[in-house]
Amino acid sequence: MNVLLSAAFVVCWSSGFVGAKLGTQDAGATTLLMWRFLPLAAVLVVFTVHRARASWRALAPRDLARQTLIGLLSQSGYLLTVYYAIQLGVSSGTTALIDGTQPLVAGALAGPLLREHVSPRQWLGLCLGLGGVALVTTADAAATTGVAWWTYLVPFAGMLSLVAATFLDRRSRTEVAPAVSMTVHCATSAVVFTTAALATGTATPPTTGSFWLATLWLVTLSTFGGYGLYWLVLQRSGVTEVNTLMFLMAPVTAVWGALMFGEPFTTQTGVGLAVALGAVAVVRGPNSRRTEAQSEAQSEAEAEVAGQ
């Protein structure tokens, strides 16, 4: 996987935590998410209907239902929990830490669900990455006061939702055009968040410029950049490697916070970032690449045998 592609994914995905903090300062989570996805879904539907008609015609009802469920889990479920946790007072760094446990969960399930081998080297990198994430966010979590214990379960539920969407996508035998899948995902989110906002009386957006700046930030960097690159990297590299990049989200989010909100960037933060980078290097080493290639070849062979 291209290094620049990986770096762009990390920057764009981590920008979502910053955008959530910017937007929820002026409005609730459902308001921000509604106005993030409603105009975006309308534009994507019009664009893809005219430019990707063949891809839509090739999409069977079963494939459309699968993509709708993936969008419900990967965007609606994941984002609502992340935004709501930040709105309740959980810091962006702590939210990123909880989100950073995703690689261990995905790695543990990759074998039995996807028949993707996770080598001892990869397990070492995954555990090392979790340690780096913990270094970055432990101090932040300890300093947070006045937050109920159950609020930390909210982003954990979102992490599980994204893991479920990832495995649902990887188990699919049908290739869906990226533009079509993103349109279905965003349209699903637009329906969910608009319904939620109307039901709770929070559909009216604030008039502050910072709110609309946060909305534009989230559409451009988080949706097109973060989610678009997530599925692209997942297709090219597999679950274990792409989820290892998630270990970098908490440290990079700490850098975003220091630059944009004046949050402290301590020596511990720097050490944690170095450890997380080391974890990515361990998992993405040449041996792991060969192992993954062999695992993919074996999975394809088993699929051919099963289909006969």
Side-chain angles (χ1 to χ4, degrees):
M1 180 175 52
N2 188 278
V3 175
L4 293 178
L5 191 65
S6 300
F9 164 64
V10 171
V11 171
C12 290
W13 190 273
S14 61
S15 72
F17 297 101
V18 179
K21 185 170 183 177
L22 284 171
T24 53
Q25 290 176 348
D26 300 311
T30 54
T31 307
L32 179 61
L33 288 167
M34 170 185 170
W35 289 103
R36 170 180 173 177
F37 284 103
L38 186 59
L40 176 61
V43 172
L44 285 175
V45 168
V46 173
F47 177 81
T48 57
V49 165
H50 288 282
R51 300 296 294 270
R53 293 182 180 178
S55 298
W56 281 108
R57 286 195 293 267
L59 196 65
R62 180 178 180 180
D63 300 325
L64 179 61
R66 177 183 288 268
Q67 289 301 317
T68 300
L69 181 56
I70 291 174
L72 187 65
L73 292 169
S74 68
Q75 287 190 352
S76 305
Y78 173 73
L79 290 175
L80 183 60
T81 54
V82 168
Y83 282 42
Y84 186 51
I86 292 176
Q87 181 182 333
L88 289 173
V90 180
S91 68
S92 59
T94 303
T95 304
L97 167 64
I98 298 171
D99 190 56
T101 62
Q102 177 186 341
L104 288 177
V105 176
L109 296 176
L113 293 182
L114 299 179
R115 297 180 181 178
E116 291 189 5
H117 175 68
V118 182
S119 67
R121 176 193 180 106
Q122 290 175 318
W123 276 117
L124 174 61
L126 292 173
C127 294
L128 185 64
L130 184 61
V133 172
L135 280 174
V136 173
T137 55
T138 297
D140 177 70
T144 302
T145 58
V147 178
W149 65 269
W150 60 266
T151 58
Y152 293 94
L153 299 178
V154 176
F156 184 77
M159 179 273 294
L160 293 178
S161 181
L162 183 58
V163 169
T166 301
F167 282 101
L168 186 62
D169 177 79
R170 292 290 287 176
R171 289 178 64 90
S172 174
R173 297 294 182 182
T174 304
E175 291 188 9
V176 181
V180 172
S181 62
M182 178 169 283
T183 300
V184 175
H185 297 173
C186 290
T188 301
S189 296
V191 171
V192 170
F193 294 134
T194 301
T195 301
L198 290 173
T200 57
T202 58
T204 303
T207 58
T208 58
S210 58
F211 173 83
W212 294 110
L213 175 62
T215 303
L216 180 62
W217 173 293
L218 290 167
V219 170
T220 304
L221 289 177
S222 302
T223 302
F224 286 114
Y227 275 97
L229 289 171
Y230 180 86
W231 298 115
L232 178 61
V233 173
L234 180 67
Q235 291 176 356
R236 296 183 60 177
S237 302
V239 171
T240 302
E241 287 200 15
V242 70
N243 279 286
T244 303
L245 294 173
M246 300 296 285
F247 283 130
L248 296 177
M249 301 308 169
V252 174
T253 300
V255 175
W256 280 104
L259 294 176
M260 295 192 63
F261 305 111
E263 297 176 350
F265 188 90
T266 63
T267 302
Q268 183 175 337
T269 303
V271 172
L273 178 58
V275 172
L277 286 170
V280 174
V282 168
V283 174
R284 291 170 48 77
N287 291 336
S288 66
R289 288 178 182 273
R290 287 195 294 268
T291 299
E292 182 175 344
Q294 294 171 357
S295 177
E296 290 180 353
Q298 181 180 357
S299 298
E300 292 177 359
E302 291 175 350
E304 291 179 0
V305 171
Q308 294 176 351

